[in-house]
Amino acid sequence: VRLLAASGANLSLENDDDQTALALAESQSQTAVVQELVVLEVAQERGKIQKKQTQHIWKQMLQAVDSGNQLVLQALYQQGWSLNLQNDEGWSLLMIAAFEGQKEVFQWLLRSGADVNLQRNDGVNALMLAIVQSHDEIALLAVEAGAKVNQKDQEGYTVLMLTAEYQRLQMAQELLKQGASVNEQSTTGMTALAFASRSGAYDIVKLLLKSGADPSLASQHSQTPYELAKYYGHLAIVQELSLFKKALP
């Protein structure tokens, strides 16, 4: 009974005779089972109430982040509610603030102990969201707060790859200073250099090469950064990669 309840069994379900597990146990005079079911049913009901309450509080917190209302967040925090609540998709308050560019709320959440390294169900974190949305100031705050610069999402993307794809030179420089791995590959074999070459981010290509990026690493489709740059017509990058290759010993 304990194992089934722990695995999510609904103790209030009835059979064809409209009897619950508790009623059946009582009819069979299974005293120990009856006592256990009573305790477990009470716990399940409390859990349902707590879940509804948590959903209500999450909605209030979400609205506060959307509107930049730190007072509501502070009041709920002081009542004991965690700033690291996540919805069913894994979004946290810090992620939402990063995505929406709510810098002051983001700073307050960090100061109050929000976890900058929480990930959504797909592995995306607050730093990645800030990069994608071009909120560089928030991204820098995340890095300063200890965001893991080599954390990957479920597709194997790192933050450095995103800076290359979205052409965020300043962030690429900062991430490399913080120890970002330059030759990580995604699940499809793409590297930061490959993304930069494909997107036409010439300055980032130069930066990555200078930082030790390997131009010979190819994707699952056997495309090297050189081939990607050539295919997308980024001639300056094609020339840069050719010169780099020639300069190799």
Side-chain angles (χ1 to χ4, degrees):
V1 170
R2 289 176 181 172
L3 177 62
L4 290 170
S7 300
N10 187 344
L11 302 179
S12 62
L13 289 179
E14 299 176 344
N15 63 13
D16 293 339
D17 297 322
D18 299 327
Q19 292 178 304
T20 63
L22 178 59
L24 286 168
E26 288 175 335
S27 68
Q28 298 296 318
S29 300
Q30 299 289 336
T31 305
V33 176
V34 169
Q35 292 175 339
E36 187 65 28
L37 283 169
V38 169
V39 172
L40 291 171
E41 281 193 9
V42 169
Q44 277 197 354
E45 288 304 312
R46 284 177 179 170
K48 291 176 184 177
I49 293 171
Q50 186 176 18
K51 184 177 181 180
K52 287 182 179 179
Q53 187 178 18
T54 301
Q55 289 173 340
H56 175 68
I57 294 299
W58 169 261
K59 187 175 180 180
Q60 286 186 306
M61 286 181 158
L62 179 59
Q63 291 173 343
V65 172
D66 285 339
S67 61
N69 193 334
Q70 294 179 40
L71 292 177
V72 170
L73 291 172
Q74 188 171 2
L76 292 170
Y77 177 57
Q78 289 174 345
Q79 289 175 27
W81 287 98
S82 173
L83 297 177
N84 290 317
L85 288 177
Q86 292 176 272
N87 68 6
D88 292 340
E89 295 176 347
W91 282 85
S92 70
L93 298 174
L94 202 63
M95 292 178 204
I96 294 168
F99 184 81
E100 296 186 353
Q102 292 282 6
K103 180 183 173 183
E104 292 183 1
V105 171
F106 190 87
Q107 287 177 303
W108 182 84
L109 287 168
L110 286 177
R111 289 197 303 269
S112 302
D115 187 348
V116 73
N117 288 310
L118 288 178
Q119 293 176 278
R120 287 188 327 205
N121 298 349
D122 59 5
V124 171
N125 58 31
L127 176 55
M128 292 176 177
L129 290 166
I131 295 294
V132 171
Q133 293 299 106
S134 302
H135 301 313
D136 285 0
E137 288 187 6
I138 289 178
L140 287 169
L141 288 171
V143 171
E144 291 171 3
K148 295 177 181 178
V149 295
N150 289 313
Q151 201 169 51
K152 290 186 174 184
D153 67 12
Q154 67 182 14
E155 294 181 357
Y157 279 41
T158 64
V159 186
L160 187 61
M161 292 179 197
L162 292 175
T163 62
E165 185 173 20
Y166 289 91
Q167 303 190 29
R168 320 231 47 91
L169 177 60
Q170 181 186 7
M171 279 309 307
Q173 292 169 330
E174 184 61 30
L175 290 169
L176 289 168
K177 289 178 184 177
Q178 297 298 325
S181 180
V182 75
N183 286 316
E184 292 289 335
Q185 290 180 279
S186 70
T187 55
T188 58
M190 292 286 284
T191 62
L193 183 61
F195 281 115
S197 299
R198 188 178 70 177
S199 68
Y202 177 74
D203 288 336
I204 294 181
V205 167
K206 290 181 64 177
L207 172 68
L208 293 172
L209 289 172
K210 185 179 179 181
S211 301
D214 184 351
S216 69
L217 293 176
S219 70
Q220 287 183 352
H221 301 293
S222 301
Q223 292 176 307
T224 63
Y226 176 87
E227 290 164 339
L228 286 166
K230 186 176 180 180
Y231 179 82
Y232 286 97
H234 303 308
L235 300 182
I237 293 176
V238 170
Q239 184 178 12
E240 186 69 29
L241 290 167
S242 296
L243 291 173
F244 183 85
K245 186 177 181 180
K246 289 178 182 179
L248 291 175

